[in-house]
Amino acid sequence: MTATRGAWPRPEDFAAPPGPAQRTAWSESDRVARPARIGRLRARFAQAGIDAYFGVRREHMRYLTGFTLAEGEEKSAGNSGQFLVAGDEVVILADSRYTIQARREAPEARMFEAYGNLPERWPEIVGSVGARRIGVEAGFVSHAAWGRLAAAAPDIELVPVEGWIEADRAVKEPAELERVSAACAVADRALATLLPDIRAEVTEAELALRLEWLMRTGGAEALAFDVACLSGPEAALPHGAPGDRPVLDRSVLLFDFGAQVEGYRSDMTRTLFVGEPSARDLEVYEVVARAQAAAIDAVEEAVRGGGEMPSGRAVDAIARAVVDDAGHGVHFGHSTGHGIGLATHEAPSLGKAAAETPLPSPTVFSVEPGVYLDGEMGVRIEDLIALDAPAGRVERLTRFPSEVTVVGA
Amino acid sequence: MTATRGAWPRPEDFAAPPGPAQRTAWSESDRVARPARIGRLRARFAQAGIDAYFGVRREHMRYLTGFTLAEGEEKSAGNSGQFLVAGDEVVILADSRYTIQARREAPEARMFEAYGNLPERWPEIVGSVGARRIGVEAGFVSHAAWGRLAAAAPDIELVPVEGWIEADRAVKEPAELERVSAACAVADRALATLLPDIRAEVTEAELALRLEWLMRTGGAEALAFDVACLSGPEAALPHGAPGDRPVLDRSVLLFDFGAQVEGYRSDMTRTLFVGEPSARDLEVYEVVARAQAAAIDAVEEAVRGGGEMPSGRAVDAIARAVVDDAGHGVHFGHSTGHGIGLATHEAPSLGKAAAETPLPSPTVFSVEPGVYLDGEMGVRIEDLIALDAPAGRVERLTRFPSEVTVVGA
């Protein structure tokens, strides 16, 4: 791919936000899918020698039970939403602030009222399902909380478990992919709507807030993460925050942003040019675009070939080789991509240290190589790719073009 | 207090948002205060027999080092921002995405590059400060991560530590209280600006988004938490989320919201009346207002008396007694209040199970009794109170009146 220049996309080029009927259908899909999700979890019990599973991660609550906490709400929710999956029932903890919500969202579960005094109630709740060995989300329960549960019921064994539900969640149901795709369209439309507002002198923070507003009034119930809007040298910070800095003329402008639609998230990055690009900036852009294309092409070829899918590590290596060959290897410090769904970053990972097992299907992940020249500029291009190898599908869910886009004229 | 009715407050009744000079002065105050904050932490080392402290909580990173992650950013930041305080230096972990930021924000600290491979690097980093026994934030390091650190350097002892910096942070510096106060004013102004827009038929979600927008374009860099806007029966959910439900006429409308200004947060709740209040609703309102006044009066009296401050548990009991006496004890399930600062909920706590030690000074906490009638309505009134007993100061930082306010006419 070379850095061609296209016409500006328009908001109406992208799918309209989902209506109430679609949203209700997704909610119903989740309800129907939950028994199978719980079944997959229970199928792991025997091998690990456990008879129940104690979960605390907010994405897992929603995936398995329907109980929903907003991002960050777990910090003030105490034990509410934490759950115990036993052989034949699911129990949800909730204090008085959350009992009505839990009954609405997770009607299939039994409710257990606990008020931040879980260790005290632990023997009772565990006894009520007859469990003796309990798998516990060791990556999300604090060391201190673990110790308190262990001390509260010394005859109950706590077995550290990591990555089970994460592995299941990497494989997406059709209704999950539809929501990621809908979240991509909300973000695509928002950026297309913003384009005419971009010009030198508007600040990064103003553009970031406007882009957020467009997503949140355009079908997103929340952001996937805080909008990054970084101009010129600031774009060299792969995790920079927008500032009260005016956008620079004749410079790059990097947007990294995503929407959340019915719980599922999108994530995209576009690096635009404010005014005529310099030859150097165009050259960097082209390297990044070629690296991204090479990675996606490799996945497409593997699907066409019908053989084994490449691993996340292999796809990362393909993108990295293009950047290396252009002499920018040291300017590409992060991973090539990550899975996405209820969390912005989830399995599968595409990076130097990622698994060497084939990518799962159906799944969805970002491909987002970047080149960062400290103190000068940075370019990243990020799209979400849906992969379903058995169905022969590799689809770019991010529809906003990645051709060179010049704004601010 | 009785439920009197006042004129609508106007935006200009409240302090204007801080300008750049004020913000720079606060940043400078932090820089000057950090050595003393770190000194207080080190002063605890001997008693616990440790020679270094490993911290991972994002509020602690900012408080002690200046390194700042946005809410939720710690989920994708890996080890970046985690820190080690040794006897004579502070070390901050950062991967390539965060090194430039860490150098800017925490110039006094030594940087240590780690890429999510902390256990592997642990012996090296710990060795570099010569530590043998390390206090670790056991309430925030996961059980799995703790096990990996322990295995990586079996000769280094990990000592669980909880609540040290939380206790220090409960006592506020003047520049911290100023920022909480500024965040209160941003929220006060935003609600005053919103009042004319409130009427039956506008949805909860629309009003919540508008209120958020007003705060974020009115001086707040972020929200303290998602805005709650709950109409009629929904106000009976102490943690409900705004929906696409139109606001009901002749009903209560509860807003719980807060702003963040230079890292510090506010939290306020107002229960307004859309159209003429019913006698029952007014009666509930008056009970809650009296409970709040009783709690604040008790703190004021203690300060005037010059003796020992009441405990958080005692203040809770005072508010609760008023609600109990009115026959609504069972409708007030949550605590009376909480400290606030870099986190929305922090020490000191005002609740049934709170500490029985006297409230610290200077400090700031919410007083927010509520009465919730399931399926019917709910009322909560929440203000932030700054307390400095030695200085004889008890000040309501939330300035929006709490008299009965009728809107939607």
Side-chain angles (χ1 to χ4, degrees):
Chain A
M1 174 186 167
T2 54
T4 60
R5 193 176 300 195
W8 278 3
R10 294 163 308 171
E12 57 270 29
D13 295 346
F14 308 100
Q22 178 61 76
R23 291 173 189 266
T24 304
W26 284 329
S27 171
E28 177 63 12
S29 297
D30 281 340
R31 199 187 60 74
V32 169
R34 283 202 287 270
R37 296 175 187 169
I38 293 168
R40 278 190 290 275
L41 175 60
R42 284 184 179 136
R44 298 179 194 260
F45 281 13
Q47 196 189 332
I50 61 171
D51 43 24
Y53 179 98
F54 181 59
V56 303
R57 198 179 174 189
R58 60 182 278 282
E59 292 86 353
H60 296 173
M61 296 172 194
R62 179 164 183 157
Y63 185 72
L64 291 180
T65 76
F67 184 90
T68 302
L69 292 179
E71 179 84 45
E73 193 179 357
E74 65 275 23
K75 292 185 188 178
S76 58
N79 300 113
S80 294
Q82 299 180 350
F83 61 93
L84 193 68
V85 175
D88 56 5
E89 71 172 337
V90 176
V91 182
I92 291 187
L93 306 179
D95 65 36
S96 71
R97 299 170 300 169
Y98 288 100
T99 45
I100 295 173
Q101 178 191 338
R103 268 187 228 111
R104 274 186 198 172
E105 295 179 341
E108 304 92 348
R110 170 159 69 88
M111 187 110 44
F112 186 92
E113 288 208 30
Y115 288 80
N117 56 349
L118 182 60
E120 196 180 302
R121 311 289 306 278
W122 185 242
E124 181 187 346
I125 182 174
V126 165
S128 77
V129 298
R132 311 294 305 175
R133 276 173 56 91
I134 302 188
V136 179
E137 293 183 343
F140 294 89
V141 170
S142 76
H143 179 70
W146 184 286
R148 284 191 274 266
L149 292 184
D155 53 329
I156 302 297
E157 191 178 347
L158 306 181
V159 179
V161 167
E162 289 187 87
W164 286 7
I165 301 174
E166 284 83 353
D168 290 345
R169 282 174 44 219
V171 179
K172 299 292 195 288
E173 301 155 5
E176 293 186 283
L177 288 177
E178 287 167 16
R179 280 171 279 184
V180 173
S181 184
C184 285
V186 167
D188 284 335
R189 283 176 84 100
L191 184 58
T193 308
L194 185 72
L195 290 179
D197 297 343
I198 303 173
R199 56 188 175 280
E201 286 152 36
V202 181
T203 69
E204 295 170 357
E206 285 163 348
L207 290 174
L209 192 57
R210 169 101 177 113
L211 187 58
E212 173 174 345
W213 178 258
L214 288 166
M215 287 189 276
R216 294 182 55 198
T217 56
E221 77 260 11
L223 298 186
F225 52 92
D226 288 346
V227 171
C229 170
L230 300 166
S231 170
E234 292 296 316
L237 278 70
H239 257 250
D244 290 324
R245 291 173 291 265
V247 165
L248 300 171
D249 198 17
R250 300 226 56 201
S251 209
V252 295
L253 183 62
L254 185 153
F255 287 98
D256 188 353
F257 61 110
Q260 179 179 309
V261 173
E262 297 297 323
Y264 286 80
R265 297 180 167 185
S266 68
D267 188 356
M268 68 183 282
T269 306
R270 284 296 178 271
T271 306
L272 311 176
F273 293 91
V274 181
E276 272 309 301
S278 70
R280 196 274 314 268
D281 288 0
L282 275 180
E283 188 188 311
V284 172
Y285 193 89
E286 191 167 334
V287 170
V288 174
R290 278 193 286 120
Q292 195 204 36
I296 298 171
D297 287 351
V299 176
E300 282 174 342
E301 271 168 41
V303 168
R304 271 198 304 275
E308 197 173 67
M309 284 301 101
S311 67
R313 192 184 293 203
V315 176
D316 175 82
I318 290 161
R320 203 165 295 281
V322 175
V323 178
D324 278 347
D325 286 349
H328 284 302
V330 295
H331 304 134
F332 176 24
H334 59 72
S335 297
T336 294
H338 56 84
I340 187 165
L342 289 168
T344 304
H345 293 91
E346 55 182 58
S349 167
L350 286 71
K352 273 194 252 192
E356 296 190 89
T357 50
L359 289 167
S361 274
T363 194
V364 55
F365 50 82
S366 71
V367 179
E368 50 173 313
V371 167
Y372 310 94
L373 305 183
D374 194 1
E376 300 183 36
M377 58 87 76
V379 172
R380 182 166 63 253
I381 307 173
E382 175 181 23
D383 291 300
L384 294 193
I385 305 294
L387 164 66
D388 185 350
R393 175 187 182 206
V394 180
E395 186 184 345
R396 200 184 288 247
L397 301 185
T398 311
R399 297 290 173 82
F400 195 101
S402 53
E403 277 78 30
V404 167
T405 301
V406 177
V407 294
Chain B
M1 173 184 169
T2 53
T4 59
R5 193 176 300 196
W8 278 3
R10 295 162 308 167
E12 58 270 29
D13 295 345
F14 308 101
Q22 177 62 75
R23 291 173 189 267
T24 303
W26 285 329
S27 172
E28 178 62 13
S29 298
D30 281 339
R31 199 187 60 73
V32 169
R34 283 201 288 270
R37 296 175 187 170
I38 292 168
R40 278 191 290 274
L41 174 61
R42 284 185 179 133
R44 300 179 193 260
F45 282 13
Q47 194 188 336
I50 61 170
D51 42 26
Y53 178 97
F54 181 58
V56 302
R57 198 178 176 190
R58 61 182 277 283
E59 291 87 353
H60 297 173
M61 297 172 193
R62 179 166 184 155
Y63 185 73
L64 291 180
T65 76
F67 183 90
T68 303
L69 292 178
E71 179 84 45
E73 193 178 357
E74 65 274 21
K75 291 186 188 178
S76 59
N79 299 114
S80 294
Q82 299 180 351
F83 62 93
L84 192 67
V85 174
D88 56 5
E89 70 172 337
V90 176
V91 182
I92 291 187
L93 306 179
D95 65 35
S96 71
R97 299 171 299 169
Y98 288 100
T99 46
I100 295 172
Q101 179 192 337
R103 268 187 230 112
R104 271 187 200 173
E105 295 178 341
E108 303 93 348
R110 171 160 68 90
M111 187 109 46
F112 186 92
E113 288 210 29
Y115 289 80
N117 57 348
L118 182 60
E120 198 180 298
R121 312 289 306 277
W122 185 244
E124 183 188 344
I125 183 174
V126 165
S128 77
V129 298
R132 311 295 304 174
R133 278 172 54 90
I134 302 188
V136 179
E137 293 183 344
F140 294 89
V141 169
S142 76
H143 179 70
W146 184 286
R148 285 191 273 267
L149 292 184
D155 53 329
I156 302 298
E157 192 179 345
L158 306 181
V159 179
V161 167
E162 289 188 86
W164 285 6
I165 301 175
E166 285 81 353
D168 289 344
R169 282 174 44 221
V171 179
K172 299 293 194 287
E173 301 155 5
E176 293 186 284
L177 288 176
E178 286 167 18
R179 281 172 279 185
V180 173
S181 183
C184 285
V186 167
D188 285 334
R189 282 176 85 99
L191 184 58
T193 308
L194 185 72
L195 290 179
D197 297 344
I198 303 173
R199 54 187 177 282
E201 283 151 39
V202 181
T203 70
E204 294 170 356
E206 286 163 347
L207 289 175
L209 193 56
R210 170 102 178 113
L211 187 58
E212 174 173 344
W213 178 259
L214 289 167
M215 286 190 276
R216 293 182 55 198
T217 56
E221 77 260 12
L223 299 186
F225 53 92
D226 289 345
V227 171
C229 170
L230 301 165
S231 170
E234 292 297 315
L237 278 71
H239 256 249
D244 289 324
R245 291 173 291 265
V247 164
L248 300 170
D249 197 18
R250 300 225 57 199
S251 209
V252 295
L253 182 63
L254 183 152
F255 288 96
D256 188 353
F257 62 111
Q260 180 180 307
V261 173
E262 297 297 323
Y264 286 79
R265 297 180 167 184
S266 69
D267 187 355
M268 68 183 281
T269 306
R270 285 295 179 270
T271 306
L272 311 177
F273 293 91
V274 181
E276 271 308 303
S278 70
R280 195 274 313 268
D281 288 0
L282 274 181
E283 186 188 314
V284 172
Y285 193 90
E286 190 166 337
V287 170
V288 174
R290 277 193 285 121
Q292 196 206 34
I296 298 170
D297 287 350
V299 176
E300 282 174 343
E301 270 168 42
V303 169
R304 271 198 304 274
E308 196 172 69
M309 284 300 101
S311 67
R313 192 183 293 203
V315 177
D316 175 83
I318 290 162
R320 204 167 294 282
V322 174
V323 178
D324 278 347
D325 286 350
H328 284 302
V330 295
H331 305 133
F332 176 24
H334 59 73
S335 297
T336 294
H338 56 84
I340 187 165
L342 289 168
T344 305
H345 293 92
E346 55 182 59
S349 168
L350 286 72
K352 272 193 253 192
E356 296 189 89
T357 50
L359 288 168
S361 273
T363 194
V364 55
F365 50 82
S366 71
V367 179
E368 49 174 314
V371 167
Y372 310 95
L373 306 182
D374 195 2
E376 299 182 39
M377 58 86 77
V379 172
R380 182 167 63 254
I381 306 173
E382 175 181 22
D383 292 301
L384 294 193
I385 305 295
L387 164 66
D388 185 350
R393 176 187 180 204
V394 180
E395 185 183 345
R396 198 184 290 245
L397 301 184
T398 311
R399 298 290 173 84
F400 195 101
S402 53
E403 277 78 30
V404 166
T405 301
V406 176
V407 294

